[in-house]
Amino acid sequence: MAGLLSSSLPRLPLPLFALGASSSHHSHFKGNSSLTDSLFYLHKRMGASEVLTDPSSLYVVGNGEYSDTYTMLTVRNALASVQNGESDRYEELVQSMQIIKGADHAVWADLVTILNALSGSVACIDIIHHRKLLSSVFGMSLWDLKPHVMDALVGLLISLAATSGKYLDSCLNMLIGHFVPPRWVIDRLSQRRVIDQKTDVLSWVHGAILKISLLVPLAPSRLLPMLAQQMPKINKKDNVVVMYVENLFKLESSPIGQVGGSMIFMMVMERLRDLDLEIDWDDILQDDSSRGMFDMELEDTMNEGEEFWNLMHQNTSGGNVVFESLDKLMVISFDHLESCNLDGRLDQVFEKLFGAFENFILNTYKSKVSQFLMFYACSLDPENCGVKFATTSLDLLGKMSAIAYLASYLARGKFLPVSFVASMLKRLVDECADYCGACNDDIRPEAHQIFYSGCQAIIYVLCFRMRSILNVPLFRSQLIPLESVLMHRLNPLMVCLPSVVAEFLKQAKAGGMFVVSDSFIFDDLLESELSRAFGGPERLDTFFPFDSCLLKSSNSYISPNFIYWSMVRPTYEEDDDDEEDAEIIVNGDEESDEEEEEGDLDYSMNKMSITPKHSFKNKMERDRLLKMPSMIRPSTSPESL
């Protein structure tokens, strides 16, 4: 590189008009390389005035330095020579782009000069004849360059991208490639110097992408598919997907987000879902045999220390990398939503977020964590986002999954006022009442899945909210049609989950909601055949998507606004458990001596879930209760609800 500049260019800053002053100026370069001779001939042929007025030369001519201007003309001559079959000067130019590790300051300075000259000569670059030069440019990495060289390279990329669009995709792809640092950077991210370098590099990258988007209106539409294509896969280690998503959110916060925000949230939500499904939650929740089906309250388990979280890590099928990646990805997503809220644009962002949720999460019944992105957004802005989520879910009443989300949200959202919950319940009750009036003679559960979903949603929410709702006469009166719905020949209390029905009936009787007739008493089946029939193969009858968050860091964002079951004050007194359970659950069967001996265990189980204390005639039936899936036991919920 030094040869290209030192043999062809004077180092003295001279006025531009001196370029064509006289032949004596030409004699000043005698003995230099043919590149200099060609440059002088090029200048004589163009004339100084053409150099000044050539638009492609304005990038560097304005600096008034003879060396920079002469470098640009030298580079243009080298670019032109290859098309005439003379490649020596072009090859020398390409060679000048190669930086050897440990190069001195002079070499870096020469590279900056050439990059600046190329920026002013992009109109002379041909995608076919100068393939080797372009490959050299796009093969460079900002991670390997010093700050002043990064500036020059980014300037060249912007110039290339803005020139006729031929190099737009290559420039954008190169910039996106910097979203994930190289291995040596990842391994040293604990060092302050490397952290600062990461900040500098990504600042240059995002600045360049934004400037290109402003200069080339087509750029955002070209950028978004590339972002999706380069998204790291879930089997990648070192949490590179987390680093990538951090950059996606940075783009979403920029003007590019106004165009591509929806697709960015789609990418993030899809990756959250994939990571969520990569973890075998059933194995994690069921592995600890000392706890049956892991049916303890999450808040109680967390109080035991790190045992719970260690258990989660040990049983993750994808290993700790997937588990930790999902947790970190949720945290940076929460942080981004909080930033949007502080900027006053969360309401706008929520529309895009809900679209991504509807596309990737709403119908994914095995996800345990990714849906909490919606819950957290609602908790940040209950009056806008919180209301929108509930009303939009209700508008999707034709989807069983939407009803399940609405029920779980109304039950668990500590930030939701009781008046709003009551209004949502009224709409659900009215919908179910209208359905009863119009239904046909077919009473098969699978023929009325939406109806049973609505009924179960109502009684599930009331398990959490009954006391606060019944305390307000207006809200109580709005639930009057519910009794006729539950007494309808479709018999929803025989079809909905027995555990939910049992808790509801106990609270309804204690709260005087209506008279519990004999027809409401049912056999203490763990999961009735009727319930399985309406739930379908996905078992939507047992789908409560906002059960406790099972990620340590993520849960710290959710728990302050989350209703755990231990926080609920039911309408009945705890001392009344034995009497109420015997009357409602087991059709008046008296407890045997064996049951009395096992009373302590029954009481302990009752404290862990919404399923009330059951008494059984034999150990077989008791074992069936212990196998109840944890998802139908609302894990952990407000003050006097």
Side-chain angles (χ1 to χ4, degrees), residues 421-430 458-459 461-462 465-486 504 513-514:
V421 175
S423 68
M424 290 291 103
L425 285 177
K426 180 182 184 303
R427 291 183 60 182
L428 280 172
V429 169
D430 291 345
I458 294 168
I459 64 176
V461 174
L462 286 173
R465 306 278 193 171
M466 190 177 296
R467 175 186 285 266
S468 56
I469 287 178
L470 295 186
N471 283 341
V472 181
L474 174 62
F475 302 157
R476 177 191 285 263
S477 66
Q478 292 173 345
L479 296 178
I480 290 177
L482 178 60
E483 183 169 5
S484 62
V485 170
L486 300 180
F504 165 75
M513 185 175 178
F514 43 70

Side-chain angles (χ1 to χ4, degrees), residues 21-319:
S22 66
S23 59
S24 62
H25 179 73
H26 180 231
S27 63
H28 176 75
F29 294 101
K30 285 183 178 179
N32 286 351
S33 68
S34 59
L35 188 58
T36 303
D37 296 334
S38 298
L39 176 60
F40 179 79
Y41 172 74
L42 175 65
H43 165 71
K44 293 290 288 183
R45 185 178 63 184
M46 292 181 62
S49 60
E50 291 186 42
V51 174
L52 284 171
T53 57
D54 179 13
S56 62
S57 69
L58 295 180
Y59 185 88
V60 293
V61 166
N63 62 21
E65 289 196 6
Y66 173 60
S67 59
D68 289 346
T69 303
Y70 221 63
T71 302
M72 183 180 66
L73 295 176
T74 303
V75 166
R76 289 185 181 182
N77 190 46
L79 294 173
S81 67
V82 71
Q83 300 187 45
N84 299 326
E86 300 177 5
S87 60
D88 291 346
R89 289 183 292 276
Y90 172 71
E91 293 294 338
E92 188 178 356
L93 175 63
V94 173
Q95 186 62 34
S96 301
M97 305 288 293
Q98 310 302 317
I99 294 292
I100 300 175
K101 188 175 182 180
D104 58 25
H105 178 75
V107 174
W108 288 108
D110 287 345
L111 177 59
V112 170
T113 303
I114 289 180
L115 290 173
N116 287 335
L118 284 171
S119 296
S121 307
V122 290
C124 303
I125 299 177
D126 183 82
I127 196 169
I128 296 177
H129 292 93
H130 304 132
R131 192 185 306 266
K132 189 181 294 186
L133 174 67
L134 291 169
S135 177
S136 180
V137 171
F138 294 131
M140 299 176 75
S141 173
L142 295 175
W143 296 105
D144 300 327
L145 304 179
K146 299 182 181 300
H148 63 292
V149 186
M150 282 195 280
D151 185 19
L153 178 58
V154 166
L156 174 57
L157 293 175
I158 293 172
S159 297
L160 284 169
T163 302
S164 73
K166 291 183 294 185
Y167 313 109
L168 177 61
D169 287 1
S170 298
C171 292
L172 292 176
N173 263 314
M174 177 185 175
L175 291 169
I176 295 172
H178 287 80
F179 282 3
V180 176
R183 165 60 56 184
W184 69 267
V185 174
I186 295 175
D187 291 341
R188 295 173 175 82
L189 276 177
S190 59
Q191 302 176 14
R192 182 74 257 175
R193 179 184 61 82
V194 178
I195 294 175
D196 292 341
Q197 182 184 8
K198 176 174 175 279
T199 301
D200 290 341
V201 169
L202 293 177
S203 177
W204 282 112
V205 168
H206 284 278
I209 292 176
L210 179 58
K211 191 166 185 178
I212 290 172
S213 298
L214 294 175
L215 293 173
V216 186
L218 181 65
S221 62
R222 302 293 301 169
L223 174 70
L224 295 170
M226 297 177 192
L227 291 172
Q229 185 177 13
Q230 293 198 35
M231 171 79 87
K233 304 300 181 184
I234 59 176
N235 59 351
K236 290 288 186 179
K237 296 183 178 181
D238 304 313
N239 295 316
V240 293
V241 65
V242 176
M243 303 179 198
Y244 194 87
V245 170
E246 285 177 336
N247 287 282
L248 289 182
F249 281 141
K250 193 168 184 178
L251 287 176
E252 196 282 326
S253 299
S254 73
I256 295 174
Q258 298 177 7
V259 178
S262 294
M263 183 169 286
I264 289 175
F265 278 115
M266 292 274 190
M267 289 182 239
V268 175
M269 197 70 83
E270 182 180 20
R271 188 56 76 241
L272 284 171
R273 180 204 63 185
D274 293 344
L275 287 167
D276 204 340
L277 297 181
E278 185 76 6
I279 300 173
D280 192 343
W281 295 106
D282 290 338
D283 285 350
I284 294 173
L285 298 179
Q286 298 177 19
D287 184 76
D288 190 353
S289 58
S290 67
R291 291 174 181 164
M293 296 293 288
F294 196 77
D295 48 7
M296 287 190 68
E297 292 276 88
L298 177 62
E299 59 181 348
D300 295 334
T301 313
M302 290 175 60
N303 290 334
E304 297 176 4
E306 294 297 318
E307 179 184 353
F308 168 73
W309 304 110
N310 292 336
L311 175 68
M312 301 291 279
H313 282 250
Q314 293 168 6
N315 292 279
T316 303
S317 61

Side-chain angles (χ1 to χ4, degrees), residues 509 516 518 521 577-589:
K509 182 176 182 180
V516 181
D518 292 340
I521 299 176
D577 282 356
D578 293 344
E579 179 183 352
E580 296 293 339
D581 291 340
E583 179 176 353
I584 295 180
I585 300 302
V586 296
N587 297 316
D589 290 333

Side-chain angles (χ1 to χ4, degrees), residues 281 298 302 308-309 312 327 330 334 368-370 372 545-559 562 564 635-636:
W281 295 106
L298 177 62
M302 290 175 60
F308 168 73
W309 304 110
M312 301 291 279
D327 201 8
M330 290 295 294
F334 291 151
K368 292 286 187 182
V369 176
S370 46
F372 277 98
F546 289 128
D547 271 359
S548 302
C549 182
L550 299 177
L551 295 178
K552 185 176 183 179
S553 298
S554 301
N555 185 62
S556 66
Y557 286 77
I558 299 300
S559 58
F562 189 81
Y564 293 94
S635 309
T636 46

